[in-house]
Amino acid sequence: MFVDLVSITVESGKGGDGAVAFRREAYVPKGGPDGGDGGRGGHVILEGDEGLSTLLDLRYKKHFKAFPGGPGLSKKRHGKTGEDAIILVPLGTQVFDPQGLLVCDIKEHKEQFILVEGGRGGRGNVKFINARNNAPKIAEKGEPGTTLDFTFELKLLADVGLIGLPSVGKSTLISVISAVKPKIADYPFTTLVPNLGVVSVPNGHSFVVADMPGLIEGAALGQGLGHQFLRHIERTRVLVHVVDMAPTDVSDPYKAFQTIHKELKAYNEDLANRPMIIAANKMDIEGSEERLEAFKKNVKDIPIIPISAYQKTNLDELLYAIDSLLIAHPIVENKPDDFKHYKFDPKEDIPFEIRLGDDGVYEVDGGELQRIFQMTHFEHDQAVKRFARQLRFLGVDEALREKGVKHGETVRICGSNFEFVD
Ligand SMILES: Nc1nc2c(ncn2[C@@H]2O[C@H](COP(=O)(O)OP(=O)(O)OP(=O)(O)O)[C@@H](O)[C@H]2O)c(=O)[nH]1
Ligand SMILES: [Mg+2]
């Protein structure tokens, strides 16, 4: 089965908690603080795998979760880094975020991309030593991981796309110019999924061709099989439009050409303007010469190469013509800074949000406050005090006062009730 579109949920690992620990020294009941930092949570990483040709595996496993970082240890030891979750994808996989933005584009074998970063490890108590406190009983919890949904879309990486109505000879053509041997039959819709083949030009150049399922009228609107695969020609640099010069029905080659052109245009204007060559096929059949002459009168701006895929005639001329067009239209690479990584980072956000709850209690939540809350060890008194200072610094106290909250009243911070001390 050829799967080229899936939705996936990924979750990066939470950072490990920082440790509160003290050195043990002979005759000293409590030595200096030595609690180490928590380890970083595991990333979610994409990796290109040339052995894969579809996103089929991802249809069955839709949730990927990296491991959390290990907690910090005594003697200032760092916690273990959480194991990454590695998602193997076929070359040509593009990943889109929920807003539809392109996040990354995997094109090479073993190429990796950090899709979602793991949470930072919390700092151990060693990091909280200061002039006023040389035995801090405080540490941070690890930064939370991030859970996000992405859409994975496979768009084949072919240089050339073979397009045309059904039964015009696309698969026959790829089978005689490359090592790919697709099934060929007399009935329409033979080709159900795209086939990729490597083609060698006699001059030593080579390129990758995708043989596409036949397109029919209405393809851009979802008619027939071909439409699902139109995305796979989006990335080709050259289209070879195969036109049957001896159709079995009475349909005119020029009409056939126009039908496909209209479909390309309806799907994506850019596709219709892609550098194109017409392979006028089945020239071995009687009557094709006359049709070709008529066709040439209608189509003047696109090079037309008459061939017979069946008898393998004039194929080199076609390959040379494709080669020159490819040279004239080199690959445009996406720049790495076109892409973005995701990390738990409410700082980009607002500091916090405040609203009156149904029970008349003010609720403060969201943004940077959420991160601070999640990283606070409430078991430690000093951590709670630090949390209170951080709230003041963020402006939470001020905002509550403005709302008319009085000393001793209850407020809800990130879902937990606290007493407002003013
Ligand atoms: N006489 C003749 N027959 C050909 C030629 N090329 C292909 N055919 C025949 O045309 C029929 C359809 O060929 P395919 O290669 O399957 O056509 P296709 O364009 O891949 O068709 P779909 O995959 O259905 O879109 C087969 O019976 C081929 O043998 C040719 O140059 N001359
Ligand atoms: Mg075919």
Side-chain angles (χ1 to χ4, degrees):
M1 197 168 32
F2 184 83
V3 174
D4 55 7
L5 189 65
V6 286
S7 300
I8 302 282
T9 304
V10 303
E11 197 176 336
S12 66
K14 171 188 172 303
D17 297 346
V20 174
F22 294 91
R23 256 192 321 274
R24 282 204 229 177
E25 289 167 44
Y27 312 114
V28 184
K30 210 170 231 178
D34 74 351
D37 298 346
R40 171 179 69 66
H43 298 319
V44 178
I45 297 177
L46 294 174
E47 185 177 306
D49 182 346
E50 64 187 5
L52 294 174
S53 54
T54 95
L55 294 170
L56 182 64
D57 296 349
L58 302 184
R59 173 156 289 184
Y60 298 108
K61 184 168 173 16
K62 285 177 169 273
H63 196 116
F64 288 83
K65 191 174 172 183
F67 285 85
L73 303 162
S74 58
K75 297 182 189 151
K76 299 185 190 170
R77 283 171 302 167
H78 252 80
K80 242 177 54 200
T81 301
E83 200 182 310
D84 300 326
I86 296 184
I87 309 179
L88 296 178
V89 293
L91 309 187
T93 300
Q94 295 189 325
V95 176
F96 295 88
D97 76 359
Q99 282 75 47
L101 273 173
L102 178 65
V103 177
C104 77
D105 192 355
I106 301 286
K107 291 182 172 167
E108 275 162 45
H109 186 54
K110 296 275 174 204
E111 174 186 351
Q112 290 199 335
F113 181 84
I114 300 176
L115 187 57
V116 184
E117 285 180 35
R120 165 172 82 71
R123 286 173 294 175
N125 65 339
V126 171
K127 300 284 169 68
F128 289 90
I129 301 174
N130 59 35
R132 273 172 294 133
N133 191 351
N134 60 9
K137 274 205 202 160
I138 176 174
E140 270 177 333
K141 284 193 170 184
E143 194 177 31
T146 308
T147 304
L148 279 167
D149 295 325
F150 292 97
T151 306
F152 285 45
E153 212 175 309
L154 174 61
K155 287 185 183 169
L156 293 178
L157 294 173
D159 304 298
V160 178
L162 291 185
I163 54 161
L165 288 177
S167 297
V168 294
K170 299 179 294 298
S171 300
T172 309
L173 179 58
I174 201 173
S175 74
V176 294
I177 58 176
S178 79
V180 178
K181 297 290 168 251
K183 210 176 132 247
I184 298 162
D186 270 331
Y187 47 86
F189 293 128
T190 316
T191 305
L192 303 177
V193 299
N195 299 300
L196 287 186
V198 179
V199 176
S200 303
V201 188
N203 64 11
H205 295 173
S206 67
F207 50 80
V208 177
V209 171
D211 165 33
M212 305 298 295
L215 294 169
I216 59 170
E217 192 161 3
L221 295 172
Q223 295 296 311
L225 274 174
H227 80 280
Q228 323 166 19
F229 301 108
L230 278 168
R231 80 174 86 216
H232 293 295
I233 47 176
E234 276 176 37
R235 305 226 264 189
T236 57
R237 288 182 282 149
V238 167
L239 293 178
V240 173
H241 187 159
V242 183
V243 182
D244 188 343
M245 285 299 140
T248 40
D249 53 24
V250 285
S251 77
D252 162 41
Y254 181 56
K255 264 200 200 118
F257 170 81
Q258 282 178 310
T259 303
I260 297 299
H261 199 73
K262 220 173 71 195
E263 289 311 323
L264 291 181
K265 219 169 155 167
Y267 179 76
N268 177 346
E269 188 85 29
D270 185 44
L271 267 187
N273 298 324
R274 190 91 13 126
M276 192 184 283
I277 291 174
I278 293 170
N281 193 27
K282 306 198 186 176
M283 292 307 295
D284 54 291
I285 293 177
E286 237 193 272
S288 53
E289 284 297 342
E290 295 77 43
R291 287 208 193 81
L292 177 64
E293 287 319 307
F295 186 78
K296 278 181 173 166
K297 289 200 178 89
N298 287 312
V299 183
K300 296 224 166 72
D301 46 351
I302 303 173
I304 302 170
I305 318 268
I307 60 163
S308 164
Y310 192 67
Q311 294 191 338
K312 305 185 190 173
T313 44
N314 220 22
L315 299 180
D316 281 355
E317 194 188 330
L318 177 66
L319 300 191
Y320 278 118
I322 296 171
D323 189 41
S324 337
L325 260 193
L326 285 173
I327 291 165
H329 297 89
I331 299 172
V332 189
E333 286 293 347
N334 302 12
K335 298 186 299 293
D337 54 344
D338 289 344
F339 304 129
K340 85 186 251 198
H341 297 237
Y342 291 83
K343 189 164 188 288
F344 187 81
D345 191 11
K347 275 194 208 117
E348 289 175 8
D349 237 327
I350 33 146
F352 60 87
E353 276 173 320
I354 188 162
R355 65 184 194 95
L356 190 59
D358 297 338
D359 54 357
V361 170
Y362 274 102
E363 296 175 342
V364 201
D365 207 339
E368 171 69 357
L369 174 66
Q370 178 70 31
R371 192 178 72 100
I372 293 174
F373 180 85
Q374 300 218 43
M375 294 181 75
T376 301
H377 258 299
F378 287 98
E379 309 86 273
H380 300 297
D381 245 19
Q382 291 175 11
V384 177
K385 285 198 183 114
R386 176 168 179 256
F387 180 64
R389 279 197 304 276
Q390 287 173 311
L391 289 194
R392 205 172 315 131
F393 185 75
L394 271 188
V396 173
D397 291 26
E398 182 77 32
L400 287 170
R401 223 174 277 131
E402 266 172 31
K403 295 280 184 195
V405 181
K406 300 269 175 319
H407 177 84
E409 283 179 6
T410 301
V411 290
R412 197 168 297 126
I413 295 170
C414 299
S416 300
N417 288 343
F418 288 83
E419 190 185 311
F420 184 53
V421 181
D422 204 8

